[in-house]
Amino acid sequence: MSKKIPIPTGGPSDIVKSIELISGSIERYKTVQEQEKTKREAIRAYRDVELGKLQAQKENFQKYIEAVFKERSNNFDEFFKRLDTAIETGDMQLANLVMTGIVNQIQSSPLQGIKEIMMQANDSDCKHIDF
């Protein structure tokens, strides 16, 4: 047995009201659909901006790390050259000074300046960051 669709028993004005309700619902749906589409586009744009900022911060951090560790490496190379000289010449005072420099270099954190670098990276007025 098949299901029968009920036929409206109201007059023509009831049918017109039904059509107006359906039409209004369709228009509201279209409006909401456009609003949600606009929201999604705004979210994607915000995401892209934030990802761009994150990428720039990553690159700045990477450059900073490379520069700082290169400088530290050069410092250690110089310290050990001077330590070799102190050992070859028997200069214990120079050896002591060089060892103090090596210990100080080891104890200092290479990341001390990263906080300022990150603040500069987030500052829209900052045009260039020096390491």
Side-chain angles (χ1 to χ4, degrees):
M1 195 182 229
S2 66
K3 226 179 184 184
K4 291 187 179 183
I5 298 173
I7 299 172
T9 57
S13 66
D14 289 339
I15 294 173
V16 170
K17 284 181 184 178
S18 295
I19 291 172
E20 287 173 350
L21 285 172
I22 291 171
S23 178
S25 294
I26 290 171
E27 287 303 314
R28 284 190 301 280
Y29 170 78
K30 286 180 180 178
T31 301
V32 169
Q33 184 182 32
E34 281 302 312
Q35 289 172 344
E36 295 304 313
K37 181 180 176 185
T38 302
K39 288 178 186 177
R40 285 191 300 274
E41 289 171 359
I43 290 168
R44 279 192 288 275
Y46 176 78
R47 176 203 62 201
D48 292 345
V49 167
E50 291 302 311
L51 286 174
K53 287 180 186 178
L54 182 61
Q55 179 67 25
Q57 288 178 346
K58 182 211 109 184
E59 289 170 4
N60 286 335
F61 182 65
Q62 190 173 10
K63 288 176 187 174
Y64 175 80
I65 293 294
E66 289 170 1
V68 167
F69 280 97
K70 182 178 180 183
E71 178 185 350
R72 288 175 69 88
S73 176
N74 291 339
N75 289 346
F76 280 120
D77 289 344
E78 280 300 313
F79 281 135
F80 285 110
K81 284 180 190 174
R82 292 184 183 181
L83 184 58
D84 287 342
T85 301
I87 291 170
E88 289 170 6
T89 61
D91 187 343
M92 297 317 288
Q93 185 177 5
L94 178 60
N96 189 34
L97 285 173
V98 171
M99 288 305 296
T100 301
I102 290 171
V103 168
N104 287 341
Q105 181 83 18
I106 291 169
Q107 289 176 340
S108 69
S109 171
L111 301 179
Q112 287 175 344
I114 197 64
K115 181 178 180 182
E116 186 172 326
I117 297 293
M118 296 309 286
M119 286 174 47
Q120 289 175 0
N122 288 326
D123 183 359
S124 60
D125 295 331
C126 181
K127 303 297 180 209
H128 181 71
I129 298 174
D130 291 319
F131 299 116

